[in-house]
Amino acid sequence: MDQLSKEQIIAHRGLSGSHPENTLIAFEAAKDAGITWIETDISMLNDEELIVFHDEALGRTVSGEKNISDCVWAELVNADAGVWKGQKYMGEKLLTLFDALSWAEKNDVTLILEMKCYGARQRRLAEVMANFLIPWQKNQLIISSFDIEFLHQFGKVAPEMRLASIHKDMPEDVEYLTRTLGLEAMHLKSDLVLSKGSVQEFHNQGLDVRAWTVNDLQTASALIAIGVDMVMSDCPQALLGKS
């Protein structure tokens, strides 16, 4: 079976299959594997600090019980975000959005920033995020979200940014979403794409299709064969034919 090229692979939360997700060591491992696109998650704390974090609440990757939208950065700045993945990762810290952007710019990596809209603060999150990104290079940043209202609000305040919507189910009106939100891509659940096989519909609207989350070469190859532009993977090395 043919392996994928590095240009067809996005590291999902860094090299998260073998490293603690959304940490610097996971990002570095993806870069070392030759992957130049990384998808990561951004959450806004109660004090409006933007951090790299996926879950709605503490407890899985960082100890605690609070909802992330109720936390402030002072509570989390020294939190351990690595030990859950193994003792050798003890001491890995949470990243702020500033940390992630600085690293990506230094290493010439494209970041897909998936916005988590916990606490129903779409408009405020859009404002904070847009203002934060003003000094950063925009060409290597893509903002994505499941939350269509957030994308709508963000597009109004930052129309120059690249946007992608994320879907677990096939969107009903691709043309409307594309036109209304100014999307450049849709990020679709991989089995959804394989069952529907309708990639051309999206390409006809000028959209790239990126599929998530694909950890085996057979599925990845099938997706690329039907026209998917890129796949997101916890295990890029497996898609590159490496152990």
Side-chain angles (χ1 to χ4, degrees), residues 57-196:
L58 301 175
R60 182 176 67 90
T61 63
V62 172
S63 62
E65 297 180 353
K66 291 179 70 171
N67 286 339
I68 199 69
S69 59
D70 293 330
C71 295
V72 297
W73 181 237
E75 297 175 85
L76 301 177
V77 64
N78 293 315
D80 192 315
V83 70
W84 70 278
K85 198 72 171 181
Q87 288 294 318
K88 66 180 178 179
Y89 299 120
M90 181 183 291
E92 279 297 309
K93 301 301 184 186
L94 289 168
L95 300 175
T96 64
L97 178 56
F98 179 87
D99 296 330
L101 293 174
S102 299
W103 179 88
E105 198 168 85
K106 179 181 176 182
N107 290 280
D108 197 26
V109 167
T110 295
L111 283 183
I112 299 174
L113 304 174
E114 182 188 333
M115 304 308 301
K116 297 297 187 181
C117 299
Y118 302 130
R121 298 177 292 171
Q122 291 94 331
R123 179 173 293 183
R124 183 57 185 160
L125 178 54
E127 292 171 351
V128 173
M129 185 67 175
N131 286 332
F132 189 90
L133 292 177
I134 287 172
W136 296 92
Q137 296 179 15
K138 308 300 193 295
N139 60 322
Q140 287 187 295
L141 294 174
I142 298 162
I143 308 301
S144 70
S145 186
F146 283 99
D147 195 304
I148 299 302
E149 178 60 23
F150 165 78
L151 291 172
H152 179 66
Q153 295 293 338
F154 187 83
K156 290 197 295 186
V157 293
E160 76 284 1
M161 291 295 301
R162 302 163 69 184
L163 300 182
S165 56
I166 314 173
H167 303 271
K168 292 181 180 177
D169 302 300
M170 196 61 76
E172 293 184 2
D173 193 336
V174 174
E175 182 180 1
Y176 173 78
L177 281 176
T178 304
R179 184 176 66 250
T180 303
L181 301 177
L183 301 176
E184 71 142 40
M186 285 194 175
H187 297 171
L188 305 177
K189 194 175 180 182
S190 57
D191 56 1
L192 183 70
V193 182
L194 288 171
S195 63
K196 300 294 184 180

